[in-house]
Amino acid sequence: MQLENMTARVRPRQTWEAMDLGFMLVQKWWAKIAFSWFVFTFPIFILINILLHDHYIWAMIAFWWLMPIFDRIPLHIISRALFGEVESNKKNLKSIVKVIFPHFIKMLTFLRFDPGRSFNLPVWQLEKLKGHARAERARVLKKMTSGSAFALTFMCMLIELIIFISLLALVFLLVPAAYTEALADALSPTAIEDSWWGGVSINFLLYITFFIVQPFYVAGGFSLYINRRTQLEGWDIEIVFRQLAQRVGKSSQYAAGLALAISFIIGGAFYPSNESVADEKIGLETTSSGGSLDNAGARKAIDEIMAQKEFGEKKTVTRWRAINKKDKKEEKKEEKKETINADWLSGLSLGLGAIGEVILWIAVAALIVLAVVFYLRWGPTASKDSLKINKKLPKSLFGLEITPESLPDDVGRAALALWNKQDPILALSLLYRGALTTLVHHYGINLKGSATEGDCIRTTYIHKEKLRQGSAEYFKRLTQTWQMAAYAHRLPSEEEIIQLSEQWTPIFGGHS
Amino acid sequence: MNMNTGVSTEHIHAASETVKKLRSEIAKAVVGQGRVIDQVLIALLASGHVLIEGVPGLGKTLLVRALAKTFSGTFSRIQFTPDLMPSDVTGHAMYDLKSESFKIRKGPVFTNLLLADEINRAPAKTQAALLEVMQEKQVTIEGKPLALDPPFMTLATQNPIEQEGTYPLPEAQLDRFLLKIMIDYPDQNEEYKLVHNVTSNQIGDAINVDETNAVVNAEHIINLQKVTADLTVDSRVSEYAVNIVRQTRNWPGISVGAGPRGGIALLRAGRAAALLNGNDFVTPDDIKSIAIAGLRHRIILSPEMEIEGQTPDTILENLLDSVDAPRI
């Protein structure tokens, strides 16, 4: 890195101004950046779209995911060009291959969503530090600048969105009005999964958007990085001295010696490199060419210079200041009080923090328990039995008692006995009640109080699969006989009721 | 134990068969809309009137023409417009110069089936004239009462869209209709069949009821109405109908519930539904099946429900879900 070769004027800038410098750099080397970016990314774009040809949205997400890798291309070109190493496109391509792969996995996994990526990328790619050293370096550099780097990311996202929508609008503007509706249908998020050209078109528009914005994003972050280093390392001063040294070196050695002596005095703190020490020595030697000057003499000369008006001036400044009326004792008390308060406050905040953490963990545990309960109850593996256990089964329905306990052991036989006792309505009622009890209690079929006989029949047909064979048909026959007796007051024949009673046990019996 | 009334079971079954024939004859002309045909037949059997609501072009006129043809009845249609006068509906007396006396010219209501198209487009005066005819089944012209020939049934239609410039029927008058039938678009197969039928071997798109044959005559219809009225209704079924109607008065979401006429309508229509189902007795299922059609025009929803976009049908479905069906 040769600072004197820098092609841009370096000075400490405001962050926004620094980003502007980055944008200027992209404009200057746009052709080279665009060429390399296109050559590297376009084949990948095509490949991804072919591989994921049924899922164009996923194709675009995959391409977007690789963006940190693609960002290295403009960074590589700009960083070299800034220090005067402008290469041909061919050489650029060759050198890019070397920088594109380091930290590949990290960049695409946990660093993928780093909001300050454009600023951190130069630290990774150009400084090539590792581990703790890199983290320390990044921490120092980030101070005062990370906010701007975040803002840059956010702004670039917005600009990408605007450009994408503008491109889309442009397409619609150029398409004849008769086709705009069809085009809108084809480009809708649901339709692009079905039509390949719709998906590819949208992806291509996004590609163009990235193509336009991404180099500016990287360059903005890079110039922020350069600016930060300029602030920390005084690059601008170093460059000025170097230029000065070059200039005076060509004219008189004496002047150069003087200038470098001054540079030693003033700039020494900023520039403690071996080079400058060497220059200092040269300067001293040059000065001594007029006569020998020992250390004491030199000190004297320096003191004289320092005693001059420009260096040793003393000034009295008068200004208003608020007078603290409290005496020192009170001040001390106050300080102590404040410390106590602060202790108490910090204790309180710690306590609150601990309570908050406990509450948070309880909430997490409750959520997990809820999720498990929901899964067991309504999840795909929820068994009918779990439903049955959890549900409170009705004890009476339509004014009939339908608990298993209220039924005789053998409903069919009990009904026959009632029939023999010349109580046909009670016999039918028992059969019907028994059937309903079995449906509700054994099969867990939900019958509402408002369900008419017809509704009950329909419900049994819906659940036909889980009932014994012929249950639904039997229940329908039973219900119709029951309706006839109840609403038409027509009693079934003896044969009919005997048949119903005998069939009851094989179909609904044996569950209690 | 058998509490059957005067009509014998055989008679009832014969009547039920006739009704089924009527239904199948109408279905020859009116493709699909099975539920609408059933409900219109129920109203005819129960000697009631219906209000049909649906967008134009769903075959309301065709339905009425086909129904009239099945019993060789007369049919007339009045298109209600804002300038329609009561005398245009009922008829009027005019001076005959030849005989030098007033002669009565009977209006279109003197028919068996009257299609009152877009009844809400005529002013209240004309609507009231028709509704009075529906109730009294007679017309008074120049102080002379003239009875309408039975069977008489009005099928009034309403359009749910284009409410501007209409005179909505007041609730008291809506009560006169036995059922309010919602007619909807046919499903895909039915519509295909319908379009095919109407366009094959036919010039223009005139209504064609050639395929429908007369099954009975007007006398028979009156007999059917008598059979319907005589069907057995157990007291528990009547109680069920009354419970439903009473529940509309306490139901949240309904600001004005149905009156006793609602319960009467449910039982009348329930009897007809039972006959249509081939039964000689009414079950709670019959009542439940026509409860929504019989009550949807008799309730007024509360403003909150209206704002929420609820319809009387959904409210009534919930209500029916809460009324216990009768058992022992």
Side-chain angles (χ1 to χ4, degrees):
Chain A
M1 187 172 72
Q2 296 297 318
L3 286 184
E4 57 272 26
N5 293 342
M6 276 181 93
T7 49
R9 196 168 155 231
V10 175
R11 61 179 168 82
R13 289 175 164 90
Q14 294 285 323
T15 48
W16 308 115
E17 206 186 346
M19 282 185 223
D20 268 348
L21 173 69
F23 299 158
M24 289 300 292
L25 293 178
V26 178
Q27 286 171 39
K28 192 168 179 196
W29 293 298
W30 171 252
K32 287 190 186 302
I33 296 167
F35 177 79
S36 299
W37 207 83
F38 180 79
V39 168
F40 268 95
T41 57
F42 197 66
I44 297 174
F45 172 76
I46 298 282
L47 187 71
I48 288 176
N49 274 285
I50 290 171
L51 288 178
L52 297 169
H53 61 275
D54 280 338
H55 310 282
Y56 289 104
I57 292 170
W58 287 109
M60 205 57 238
I61 290 172
F63 183 77
W64 170 80
W65 201 274
L66 293 172
M67 212 49 78
I69 303 303
F70 302 149
D71 284 350
R72 294 179 164 206
I73 298 165
L75 178 63
H76 179 73
I77 295 170
I78 294 170
S79 63
R80 288 162 70 93
L82 184 65
F83 292 98
E85 296 175 40
V86 182
E87 303 281 3
S88 69
N89 282 332
K90 202 175 168 186
K91 280 188 178 171
N92 270 341
L93 290 178
K94 274 185 186 168
S95 54
I96 283 167
V97 175
K98 288 176 196 160
V99 297
I100 214 159
F101 290 109
H103 316 301
F104 192 85
I105 302 296
K106 275 185 194 169
M107 280 290 176
L108 296 186
T109 50
F110 64 93
L111 286 175
R112 178 62 189 84
F113 290 100
D114 177 10
R117 190 177 77 228
S118 63
F119 181 75
N120 292 332
L121 198 62
V123 184
W124 287 69
Q125 187 174 326
L126 304 178
E127 297 195 8
K128 291 173 185 157
L129 294 171
K130 279 185 178 172
H132 181 70
R134 181 174 59 206
E136 195 58 30
R137 179 78 177 141
R139 196 181 59 77
V140 173
L141 288 176
K142 264 184 194 168
K143 275 182 190 167
M144 325 267 293
T145 316
S146 58
S148 304
F150 290 179
L152 176 68
T153 308
F154 182 65
M155 289 311 294
C156 282
M157 272 165 62
L158 283 185
I159 291 168
E160 278 177 349
L161 188 67
I162 291 166
I163 291 181
F164 175 66
I165 292 170
S166 310
L167 286 172
L168 208 59
L170 185 69
V171 171
F172 275 93
L173 208 65
L174 296 177
V175 166
Y179 298 105
T180 45
E181 207 167 305
L183 187 67
D185 285 343
L187 296 185
S188 71
T190 46
I192 59 168
E193 290 291 320
D194 300 328
S195 69
W196 70 269
W197 66 269
V200 169
S201 314
I202 291 282
N203 287 0
F204 187 65
L205 292 184
L206 276 164
Y207 178 82
I208 295 174
T209 309
F210 292 140
F211 181 70
I212 296 169
V213 178
Q214 230 34 51
F216 285 96
Y217 170 62
V218 174
F222 173 65
S223 57
L224 276 177
Y225 164 80
I226 292 291
N227 191 48
R228 182 69 183 142
R229 283 197 67 178
T230 308
Q231 285 170 356
L232 288 174
E233 295 165 24
W235 282 8
D236 51 335
I237 300 168
E238 188 175 337
I239 288 168
V240 168
F241 282 146
R242 284 190 186 194
Q243 285 168 349
L244 207 60
Q246 274 177 3
R247 190 155 48 85
V248 293
K250 281 174 192 163
S251 56
S252 79
Q253 278 197 330
Y254 177 77
L258 186 65
L260 286 168
I262 294 167
S263 89
F264 167 68
I265 296 158
I266 303 169
F270 297 99
Y271 192 44
S273 68
N274 292 336
E275 214 177 332
S276 73
V277 175
D279 285 354
E280 183 195 342
K281 278 180 185 164
I282 295 164
L284 287 173
E285 277 165 18
T286 330
T287 322
S288 66
S289 65
S292 68
L293 190 65
D294 56 2
N295 268 356
R299 171 61 52 200
K300 202 183 162 193
I302 290 165
D303 284 345
E304 271 172 21
I305 291 167
M306 290 300 286
Q308 281 174 9
K309 200 186 169 188
E310 286 79 6
F311 294 102
E313 195 189 7
K314 282 188 179 169
K315 217 176 182 178
T316 313
V317 180
T318 316
R319 63 181 173 85
W320 290 99
R321 212 183 78 178
I323 299 165
N324 198 353
K325 282 181 181 171
K326 289 169 187 164
D327 60 15
K328 279 190 174 176
K329 263 188 183 177
E330 269 185 335
E331 237 169 56
K332 271 186 182 174
K333 259 189 188 173
E334 192 94 327
E335 268 176 21
K336 214 178 170 186
K337 212 175 168 185
E338 270 175 15
T339 350
I340 293 164
N341 277 346
D343 285 349
W344 173 77
L345 266 177
S346 70
L348 181 72
S349 62
L350 275 177
L352 283 177
I355 292 168
E357 197 181 341
V358 169
I359 291 172
L360 204 65
W361 280 115
I362 290 172
V364 168
L367 272 178
I368 291 169
V369 169
L370 265 179
V372 170
V373 169
F374 268 79
Y375 182 78
L376 287 178
R377 190 130 191 215
W378 289 290
T381 55
S383 66
K384 301 287 177 290
D385 289 341
S386 69
L387 277 176
K388 210 169 119 185
I389 292 159
N390 289 332
K391 203 154 65 183
K392 230 181 169 182
L393 294 170
K395 288 188 173 172
S396 71
L397 203 60
F398 331 117
L400 299 177
E401 199 179 350
I402 56 157
T403 53
E405 299 77 41
S406 69
L407 291 176
D409 291 339
D410 191 338
V411 174
R413 192 170 293 172
L416 268 182
L418 283 169
W419 169 255
N420 290 333
K421 279 185 199 165
Q422 302 298 315
D423 204 344
I425 290 283
L426 217 55
L428 265 180
S429 158
L430 181 64
L431 290 176
Y432 189 54
R433 191 155 61 95
L436 284 178
T437 308
T438 314
L439 288 174
V440 171
H441 284 270
H442 181 72
Y443 294 109
I445 291 174
N446 185 19
L447 290 174
K448 287 182 187 167
S450 61
T452 54
E453 287 90 351
D455 294 334
C456 293
I457 293 173
R458 274 188 289 279
T459 314
T460 42
Y461 271 91
I462 290 168
H463 297 282
K464 202 177 172 182
E465 296 299 314
K466 61 178 180 183
L467 304 178
R468 286 181 195 167
Q469 209 186 351
S471 295
E473 290 77 14
Y474 172 82
F475 185 71
K476 188 180 174 186
R477 201 148 50 84
L478 175 63
T479 308
Q480 282 169 345
T481 316
W482 159 251
Q483 278 182 321
M484 197 87 90
Y487 302 124
H489 310 285
R490 269 204 306 278
L491 292 177
S493 63
E494 185 174 359
E495 190 189 346
E496 209 169 356
I497 209 152
I498 290 171
Q499 213 179 24
L500 283 173
S501 305
E502 282 173 350
Q503 284 174 359
W504 196 97
T505 314
I507 284 178
F508 286 117
H511 290 308
S512 50
Chain B
M1 191 99 188
N2 195 334
M3 283 167 54
N4 235 350
T5 42
V7 188
S8 70
T9 316
E10 290 74 34
H11 208 105
I12 292 168
H13 284 305
S16 182
E17 285 305 310
T18 314
V19 174
K20 276 179 190 157
K21 260 187 222 162
L22 281 175
R23 180 160 58 179
S24 63
E25 284 302 321
I26 297 170
K28 280 183 190 169
V30 184
V31 180
Q33 308 289 9
R35 195 177 43 83
V36 176
I37 297 174
D38 282 357
Q39 288 178 348
V40 168
L41 276 176
I42 286 170
L44 178 70
L45 293 174
S47 182
H49 309 282
V50 292
L51 178 64
I52 304 176
E53 192 171 296
V55 291
L58 293 177
K60 293 181 286 263
T61 313
L62 177 68
L63 171 65
V64 180
R65 289 279 297 271
L67 179 62
K69 198 174 175 194
T70 52
F71 65 92
S72 319
T74 51
F75 154 80
S76 63
R77 172 182 170 161
I78 312 173
Q79 182 69 45
F80 276 56
T81 53
D83 57 353
L84 191 79
M85 298 304 288
S87 57
D88 296 334
V89 176
T90 55
H92 52 92
M94 60 181 283
Y95 186 69
D96 184 16
L97 284 172
K98 250 185 204 170
S99 61
E100 293 186 341
S101 63
F102 277 97
K103 275 194 171 170
I104 288 171
R105 175 177 275 182
K106 288 179 177 176
V109 288
F110 289 91
T111 182
N112 293 130
L113 290 180
L114 175 69
L115 178 65
D117 225 352
E118 301 209 65
I119 190 169
N120 55 347
R121 297 223 170 259
K125 196 165 64 173
T126 314
Q127 287 175 1
L130 175 68
L131 294 163
E132 203 184 321
V133 176
M134 282 161 54
Q135 181 75 8
E136 310 289 332
K137 296 199 173 162
Q138 68 167 25
V139 178
T140 309
I141 301 171
E142 294 290 307
K144 196 177 167 192
L146 299 165
L148 302 181
D149 289 334
F152 172 68
M153 180 184 180
T154 307
L155 297 101
T157 72
Q158 248 182 199
N159 189 342
I161 52 170
E162 296 171 357
Q163 291 298 317
E164 207 163 317
T166 60
Y167 303 85
L169 291 172
E171 268 66 26
Q173 298 195 344
L174 281 174
D175 217 19
R176 309 271 173 90
F177 291 99
L178 182 74
L179 303 176
K180 181 180 179 184
I181 301 171
M182 306 300 264
I183 187 164
D184 206 350
Y185 293 108
D187 65 30
Q188 193 176 359
N189 287 335
E190 287 174 353
E191 190 160 354
Y192 166 73
K193 221 168 136 187
L194 188 150
V195 171
H196 182 78
N197 283 1
V198 170
T199 51
S200 54
N201 303 325
Q202 193 180 325
I203 303 162
D205 61 352
I207 289 170
N208 185 359
V209 288
D210 291 347
E211 289 200 6
T212 308
N213 302 312
V215 181
V216 287
N217 56 28
E219 286 290 309
H220 271 102
I221 295 292
I222 297 164
N223 278 337
L224 286 176
Q225 288 176 342
K226 276 182 189 156
V227 170
T228 309
D230 280 345
L231 284 193
T232 309
V233 179
D234 190 80
S235 59
R236 282 164 297 183
V237 178
S238 315
E239 266 172 36
Y240 178 57
V242 171
N243 284 345
I244 292 173
V245 172
R246 290 187 74 83
Q247 190 79 315
T248 63
R249 297 168 203 161
N250 311 320
W251 193 254
I254 298 178
S255 61
V256 182
R261 209 181 256 167
I264 295 167
L266 287 191
L267 277 187
R268 278 170 65 199
R271 277 196 166 103
L275 190 69
L276 204 62
N277 291 335
N279 286 334
D280 56 353
F281 58 93
V282 184
T283 63
D285 279 305
D286 298 322
I287 301 290
K288 203 174 180 181
S289 69
I290 47 81
I292 292 180
L295 293 177
R296 58 161 74 102
H297 55 297
R298 295 176 209 271
I299 58 166
I300 300 174
L301 297 190
S302 62
E304 306 92 80
M305 291 293 146
E306 297 258 21
I307 290 164
E308 276 181 27
Q310 298 275 2
T311 60
D313 287 23
T314 47
I315 300 284
L316 284 171
E317 268 166 32
N318 292 337
L319 183 143
L320 286 175
D321 234 17
S322 78
V323 180
D324 280 353
R327 292 292 186 281
I328 283 212

